[in-house]
Amino acid sequence: MAKVIAVTNQKGGVGKTTTCCSVCGELARLGYKVLAVDLDPQSNLSFSLGVEMDDDFTIYDVMKGNCEITDAIFHGEVCDVVPSNILLSGLELEMTGVGREYVLREQLSGVSKKYDYIILDTPPALSVLTINAYTASDELVIPMLCEILSLQGIAQLKQTIFAVKRYYNKSLCVRGILLNKYNPRYTLTQDVEDLAEDIAEQLGTTIFNTKISASVAIAEAPAHGESIITYSPKSKSAQEFKAFVKELIEPHKSGSQKKAGSDK
Ligand SMILES: Nc1ncnc2c1ncn2[C@@H]1O[C@H](COP(=O)(O)OP(=O)(O)OP(=O)(O)O)[C@@H](O)[C@H]1O
Ligand SMILES: [Mg+2]
Protein backbone atom coordinates (compact mmCIF):
# COMPACT_ATOMS: atom_id res chain seq x y z
CA MET A 1 0.00 0.00 0.00
CA ALA A 2 1.28 3.45 -0.91
CA LYS A 3 2.12 5.98 1.75
CA VAL A 4 0.01 9.07 1.02
CA ILE A 5 1.63 12.39 1.85
CA ALA A 6 -0.05 15.79 1.37
CA VAL A 7 2.02 18.95 1.19
CA THR A 8 -0.09 21.69 2.65
CA ASN A 9 -0.35 25.25 3.94
CA GLN A 10 -3.25 27.47 3.00
CA LYS A 11 -0.88 30.38 2.63
CA GLY A 12 0.13 30.88 -1.01
CA GLY A 13 3.64 30.78 -2.37
CA VAL A 14 5.34 28.99 0.52
CA GLY A 15 6.80 26.20 -1.61
CA LYS A 16 4.11 23.48 -1.61
CA THR A 17 4.37 22.74 -5.32
CA THR A 18 8.16 23.07 -5.33
CA THR A 19 8.34 20.58 -2.46
CA CYS A 20 5.95 18.12 -4.17
CA CYS A 21 7.87 18.29 -7.42
CA SER A 22 11.27 17.84 -5.77
CA VAL A 23 10.05 15.04 -3.50
CA CYS A 24 8.52 13.20 -6.48
CA GLY A 25 11.78 13.67 -8.42
CA GLU A 26 13.92 12.29 -5.61
CA LEU A 27 11.58 9.40 -4.74
CA ALA A 28 11.54 8.40 -8.42
CA ARG A 29 15.34 8.64 -8.59
CA LEU A 30 15.55 6.33 -5.60
CA GLY A 31 13.44 3.81 -7.51
CA TYR A 32 10.12 4.24 -5.74
CA LYS A 33 6.89 4.11 -7.71
CA VAL A 34 5.34 7.53 -7.35
CA LEU A 35 1.96 9.06 -8.18
CA ALA A 36 1.64 12.84 -7.93
CA VAL A 37 -1.87 14.25 -7.58
CA ASP A 38 -2.39 17.92 -8.40
CA LEU A 39 -5.29 19.25 -6.35
CA ASP A 40 -4.65 22.90 -7.13
CA PRO A 41 -6.76 24.58 -9.87
CA GLN A 42 -3.61 26.56 -10.79
CA SER A 43 -2.13 23.27 -12.18
CA ASN A 44 1.39 24.29 -11.18
CA LEU A 45 2.44 20.76 -10.25
CA SER A 46 1.08 19.33 -13.52
CA PHE A 47 3.10 21.94 -15.41
CA SER A 48 6.23 21.44 -13.28
CA LEU A 49 6.13 17.68 -13.89
CA GLY A 50 5.86 18.19 -17.65
CA VAL A 51 2.26 17.05 -18.17
CA GLU A 52 0.99 17.75 -21.65
CA MET A 53 -2.74 18.27 -21.53
CA ASP A 54 -5.10 17.47 -24.35
CA ASP A 55 -8.73 16.87 -23.57
CA ASP A 56 -7.80 14.19 -21.11
CA PHE A 57 -9.50 13.47 -17.82
CA THR A 58 -8.18 15.37 -14.82
CA ILE A 59 -8.60 15.28 -11.06
CA TYR A 60 -11.74 17.36 -11.59
CA ASP A 61 -13.38 14.45 -13.41
CA VAL A 62 -12.19 12.05 -10.72
CA MET A 63 -13.70 14.19 -7.96
CA LYS A 64 -16.94 14.61 -9.92
CA GLY A 65 -17.24 10.87 -10.57
CA ASN A 66 -16.97 11.31 -14.35
CA CYS A 67 -14.15 8.77 -14.52
CA GLU A 68 -12.01 6.45 -12.43
CA ILE A 69 -8.65 7.72 -11.22
CA THR A 70 -6.85 5.23 -13.50
CA ASP A 71 -8.41 7.02 -16.51
CA ALA A 72 -6.85 10.31 -15.39
CA ILE A 73 -3.26 9.15 -14.83
CA PHE A 74 -0.63 10.71 -17.08
CA HIS A 75 2.58 8.71 -17.36
CA GLY A 76 5.19 11.46 -17.12
CA GLU A 77 8.96 11.36 -17.32
CA VAL A 78 9.40 12.06 -13.61
CA CYS A 79 6.49 9.98 -12.33
CA ASP A 80 2.80 9.27 -12.86
CA VAL A 81 0.62 12.35 -12.44
CA VAL A 82 -3.09 13.02 -12.03
CA PRO A 83 -3.24 16.53 -13.49
CA SER A 84 -5.43 19.38 -12.45
CA ASN A 85 -7.76 21.70 -14.31
CA ILE A 86 -9.04 25.22 -13.68
CA LEU A 87 -12.56 23.75 -13.37
CA LEU A 88 -11.44 22.51 -9.98
CA SER A 89 -11.91 26.03 -8.59
CA GLY A 90 -15.69 25.58 -8.82
CA LEU A 91 -15.73 22.21 -7.11
CA GLU A 92 -16.58 23.59 -3.67
CA LEU A 93 -20.06 24.52 -4.91
CA GLU A 94 -20.48 21.43 -7.07
CA MET A 95 -19.66 18.84 -4.43
CA THR A 96 -22.53 18.89 -2.01
CA GLY A 97 -23.37 15.22 -1.53
CA VAL A 98 -23.05 13.21 1.65
CA GLY A 99 -19.56 11.76 2.04
CA ARG A 100 -17.92 14.34 -0.19
CA GLU A 101 -14.89 14.41 2.14
CA TYR A 102 -14.05 10.80 1.24
CA VAL A 103 -14.07 10.90 -2.56
CA LEU A 104 -10.31 11.18 -3.01
CA ARG A 105 -9.54 8.58 -0.36
CA GLU A 106 -11.85 6.10 -2.03
CA GLN A 107 -10.33 6.72 -5.46
CA LEU A 108 -6.73 6.49 -4.20
CA SER A 109 -7.43 3.21 -2.43
CA GLY A 110 -8.08 1.75 -5.90
CA VAL A 111 -4.52 2.49 -7.09
CA SER A 112 -2.67 2.40 -3.79
CA LYS A 113 -1.19 -1.06 -4.43
CA LYS A 114 0.52 0.13 -7.59
CA TYR A 115 2.61 2.81 -5.88
CA ASP A 116 5.05 3.25 -3.03
CA TYR A 117 4.22 6.92 -2.55
CA ILE A 118 1.29 9.14 -3.49
CA ILE A 119 2.14 12.83 -3.14
CA LEU A 120 -0.70 15.36 -3.00
CA ASP A 121 -0.22 19.03 -3.86
CA THR A 122 -2.90 21.16 -2.26
CA PRO A 123 -4.26 24.62 -3.15
CA PRO A 124 -3.63 27.71 -1.03
CA ALA A 125 -7.06 27.41 0.61
CA LEU A 126 -8.87 25.38 3.22
CA SER A 127 -11.49 24.01 0.85
CA VAL A 128 -13.26 20.74 0.11
CA LEU A 129 -10.11 19.77 -1.81
CA THR A 130 -7.92 20.32 1.22
CA ILE A 131 -10.29 18.30 3.40
CA ASN A 132 -10.27 15.52 0.80
CA ALA A 133 -6.45 15.60 0.78
CA TYR A 134 -6.23 15.37 4.58
CA THR A 135 -8.84 12.61 4.72
CA ALA A 136 -6.90 10.60 2.13
CA SER A 137 -3.45 11.12 3.69
CA ASP A 138 -1.25 9.26 6.10
CA GLU A 139 0.98 12.25 6.65
CA LEU A 140 1.12 16.01 6.18
CA VAL A 141 4.19 18.07 5.38
CA ILE A 142 3.85 21.80 6.00
CA PRO A 143 6.28 24.06 4.14
CA MET A 144 6.57 27.60 5.42
CA LEU A 145 8.64 30.65 4.69
CA CYS A 146 10.72 32.23 7.37
CA GLU A 147 8.41 35.21 7.67
CA ILE A 148 6.03 36.15 10.44
CA LEU A 149 2.95 35.96 8.18
CA SER A 150 3.52 32.31 7.46
CA LEU A 151 2.96 31.57 11.11
CA GLN A 152 -0.49 33.15 11.07
CA GLY A 153 -1.45 30.74 8.32
CA ILE A 154 -0.34 27.77 10.35
CA ALA A 155 -2.60 28.66 13.27
CA GLN A 156 -5.66 28.49 10.97
CA LEU A 157 -4.35 25.31 9.48
CA LYS A 158 -4.20 23.74 12.89
CA GLN A 159 -7.95 24.05 13.35
CA THR A 160 -8.62 22.31 10.04
CA ILE A 161 -6.16 19.49 10.73
CA PHE A 162 -7.68 18.88 14.14
CA ALA A 163 -11.21 18.85 12.71
CA VAL A 164 -10.24 16.31 10.03
CA LYS A 165 -8.47 14.15 12.61
CA ARG A 166 -11.57 14.24 14.75
CA TYR A 167 -14.21 13.57 12.13
CA TYR A 168 -12.67 11.95 9.05
CA ASN A 169 -9.18 10.55 9.55
CA LYS A 170 -8.06 9.68 13.06
CA SER A 171 -4.68 8.35 11.97
CA LEU A 172 -3.60 11.52 10.15
CA CYS A 173 -0.06 12.41 11.23
CA VAL A 174 1.54 15.83 10.91
CA ARG A 175 5.07 14.81 9.97
CA GLY A 176 6.67 18.19 10.28
CA ILE A 177 7.23 21.77 9.21
CA LEU A 178 9.67 22.31 6.36
CA LEU A 179 11.36 25.71 6.53
CA ASN A 180 11.78 27.08 3.00
CA LYS A 181 13.90 29.96 1.68
CA TYR A 182 15.88 29.58 4.83
CA ASN A 183 18.83 31.83 5.55
CA PRO A 184 20.44 31.26 8.93
CA ARG A 185 22.19 34.63 8.69
CA TYR A 186 18.98 36.63 9.10
CA THR A 187 18.04 37.49 12.67
CA LEU A 188 14.39 37.30 11.63
CA THR A 189 14.88 33.69 10.59
CA GLN A 190 15.97 32.77 14.11
CA ASP A 191 12.98 34.58 15.64
CA VAL A 192 10.59 32.85 13.26
CA GLU A 193 12.23 29.52 13.86
CA ASP A 194 11.61 29.88 17.58
CA LEU A 195 7.96 30.73 16.89
CA ALA A 196 7.67 27.88 14.41
CA GLU A 197 8.91 25.50 17.07
CA ASP A 198 6.07 26.65 19.33
CA ILE A 199 3.54 26.06 16.56
CA ALA A 200 5.05 22.70 15.71
CA GLU A 201 4.65 21.68 19.31
CA GLN A 202 0.99 22.68 19.23
CA LEU A 203 0.52 20.52 16.14
CA GLY A 204 2.24 17.65 17.90
CA THR A 205 5.12 17.71 15.45
CA THR A 206 8.58 19.21 14.91
CA ILE A 207 10.54 21.18 12.35
CA PHE A 208 12.40 18.96 9.88
CA ASN A 209 16.17 19.01 10.43
CA THR A 210 16.64 19.72 6.72
CA LYS A 211 15.96 23.30 5.66
CA ILE A 212 15.61 24.53 2.07
CA SER A 213 17.64 27.58 1.07
CA ALA A 214 16.50 30.16 -1.45
CA SER A 215 17.93 29.44 -4.89
CA VAL A 216 17.54 30.54 -8.48
CA ALA A 217 17.73 26.96 -9.79
CA ILE A 218 14.57 26.01 -7.85
CA ALA A 219 12.64 28.77 -9.56
CA GLU A 220 14.01 27.77 -12.99
CA ALA A 221 13.33 24.03 -12.90
CA PRO A 222 9.52 24.08 -13.47
CA ALA A 223 9.88 25.77 -16.87
CA HIS A 224 11.84 22.70 -18.00
CA GLY A 225 9.19 20.24 -16.83
CA GLU A 226 11.54 18.57 -14.41
CA SER A 227 12.37 18.65 -10.75
CA ILE A 228 15.48 20.24 -9.30
CA ILE A 229 16.78 16.70 -8.76
CA THR A 230 17.35 16.17 -12.48
CA TYR A 231 17.45 19.81 -13.63
CA SER A 232 20.44 20.67 -11.46
CA PRO A 233 21.50 17.51 -9.64
CA LYS A 234 24.68 18.97 -8.17
CA SER A 235 23.03 22.15 -6.86
CA LYS A 236 22.71 22.89 -3.17
CA SER A 237 18.91 22.76 -3.56
CA ALA A 238 19.00 19.25 -5.02
CA GLN A 239 21.22 18.11 -2.15
CA GLU A 240 18.85 19.71 0.36
CA PHE A 241 15.79 18.02 -1.13
CA LYS A 242 17.62 14.69 -1.22
CA ALA A 243 18.40 15.11 2.47
CA PHE A 244 14.79 16.07 3.12
CA VAL A 245 13.42 12.99 1.36
CA LYS A 246 15.85 10.80 3.30
CA GLU A 247 14.48 12.30 6.50
CA LEU A 248 10.90 11.94 5.27
CA ILE A 249 11.08 8.26 4.34
CA GLU A 250 13.37 7.06 7.11
CA PRO A 251 10.52 6.07 9.48
CA HIS A 252 8.70 4.22 6.67
CA LYS A 253 11.73 2.00 6.05
CA SER A 254 11.74 0.67 9.58
CA GLY A 255 8.25 -0.68 8.88
CA SER A 256 6.50 0.85 11.84
CA GLN A 257 5.42 4.38 11.12
CA LYS A 258 6.23 6.69 13.97
CA LYS A 259 3.54 9.02 15.10
CA ALA A 260 4.12 12.75 15.10
CA GLY A 261 6.20 13.88 18.02
CA SER A 262 6.95 10.37 19.25
CA ASP A 263 10.34 10.13 17.61
CA LYS A 264 11.74 13.50 18.37
N1 LIG B 1 13.70 27.71 -2.00
C1 LIG B 1 13.28 28.47 -3.01
N2 LIG B 1 14.15 29.30 -3.64
C2 LIG B 1 13.76 30.08 -4.67
N3 LIG B 1 12.51 30.13 -5.15
C3 LIG B 1 11.59 29.33 -4.56
C4 LIG B 1 11.92 28.47 -3.46
N4 LIG B 1 10.81 27.80 -3.09
C5 LIG B 1 9.84 28.24 -3.92
N5 LIG B 1 10.31 29.15 -4.79
C6 LIG B 1 9.56 29.88 -5.83
O1 LIG B 1 8.52 30.57 -5.17
C7 LIG B 1 7.32 30.53 -5.94
C8 LIG B 1 6.23 29.87 -5.10
O2 LIG B 1 6.60 28.51 -4.86
P1 LIG B 1 5.52 27.36 -5.00
O3 LIG B 1 4.75 27.52 -6.26
O4 LIG B 1 6.22 26.08 -4.76
O5 LIG B 1 4.61 27.73 -3.75
P2 LIG B 1 3.14 27.18 -3.44
O6 LIG B 1 3.02 27.14 -1.96
O7 LIG B 1 2.88 25.93 -4.17
O8 LIG B 1 2.24 28.34 -4.04
P3 LIG B 1 0.65 28.29 -4.23
O9 LIG B 1 0.09 28.46 -2.86
O10 LIG B 1 0.34 29.45 -5.14
O11 LIG B 1 0.29 26.97 -4.82
C9 LIG B 1 7.65 29.75 -7.20
O12 LIG B 1 7.96 30.66 -8.21
C10 LIG B 1 8.87 28.95 -6.82
O13 LIG B 1 9.69 28.67 -7.93
MG1 LIG C 1 1.32 25.43 -5.48
Side-chain angles (χ1 to χ4, degrees):
M1 295 290 270
K3 187 70 70 185
V4 184
I5 302 175
V7 179
T8 184
N9 186 340
Q10 91 279 23
K11 187 168 166 55
V14 296
K16 294 181 289 293
T17 304
T18 302
T19 302
C20 282
C21 187
S22 310
V23 166
C24 288
E26 175 59 1
L27 286 171
R29 191 190 69 86
L30 290 171
Y32 291 106
K33 282 179 263 164
V34 183
L35 175 66
V37 181
D38 190 351
L39 288 166
D40 186 348
Q42 298 175 100
S43 303
N44 292 341
L45 183 65
S46 313
F47 175 75
S48 304
L49 290 172
V51 174
E52 291 150 25
M53 291 298 295
D54 285 325
D55 283 338
D56 303 322
F57 288 125
T58 68
I59 190 69
Y60 172 78
D61 299 294
V62 176
M63 298 302 289
K64 287 282 286 177
N66 298 343
C67 71
E68 293 300 314
I69 195 160
T70 42
D71 302 325
I73 293 174
F74 175 90
H75 302 290
E77 281 191 24
V78 180
C79 62
D80 282 0
V81 187
V82 180
S84 166
N85 183 300
I86 190 68
L87 289 171
L88 211 52
S89 55
L91 201 71
E92 186 85 36
L93 299 173
E94 295 177 39
M95 282 183 80
T96 50
V98 175
R100 64 184 199 147
E101 298 83 5
Y102 296 95
V103 175
L104 184 64
R105 179 152 112 182
E106 224 170 69
Q107 284 289 335
L108 290 183
S109 70
V111 292
S112 184
K113 278 196 192 127
K114 290 193 203 161
Y115 298 99
D116 300 306
Y117 283 95
I118 299 178
I119 306 295
L120 312 179
D121 189 18
T122 59
L126 295 172
S127 62
V128 68
L129 287 163
T130 323
I131 306 285
N132 262 275
Y134 294 3
T135 304
S137 292
D138 298 301
E139 300 184 358
L140 301 181
V141 167
I142 305 171
M144 61 171 275
L145 300 182
C146 296
E147 298 168 359
I148 291 293
L149 280 178
S150 305
L151 293 173
Q152 287 179 346
I154 297 241
Q156 293 157 10
L157 191 64
K158 180 183 159 187
Q159 293 179 344
T160 310
I161 293 170
F162 278 48
V164 171
K165 275 181 91 148
R166 184 166 174 196
Y167 297 111
Y168 308 121
N169 183 6
K170 291 199 167 36
S171 55
L172 181 66
C173 161
V174 185
R175 265 304 295 285
I177 293 175
L178 177 64
L179 292 180
N180 185 21
K181 296 196 186 171
Y182 182 79
N183 184 342
R185 279 172 296 176
Y186 291 162
T187 327
L188 184 63
T189 303
Q190 187 53 52
D191 289 349
V192 172
E193 208 174 324
D194 291 346
L195 271 166
E197 265 167 22
D198 290 347
I199 301 272
E201 208 173 300
Q202 288 182 48
L203 289 171
T205 190
T206 55
I207 299 177
F208 285 105
N209 292 328
T210 313
K211 323 268 196 284
I212 310 298
S213 315
S215 98
V216 176
I218 285 191
E220 282 173 356
H224 299 264
E226 44 183 327
S227 77
I228 187 74
I229 305 295
T230 50
Y231 176 68
S232 184
K234 295 216 168 91
S235 63
K236 188 178 173 198
S237 309
Q239 302 312 317
E240 287 170 345
F241 271 112
K242 284 179 185 180
F244 171 63
V245 167
K246 197 167 172 226
E247 202 180 338
L248 185 68
I249 65 178
E250 197 273 330
H252 310 153
K253 284 182 175 166
S254 65
S256 61
Q257 186 194 334
K258 294 172 192 169
K259 288 280 170 206
S262 65
D263 55 335
K264 312 290 167 30

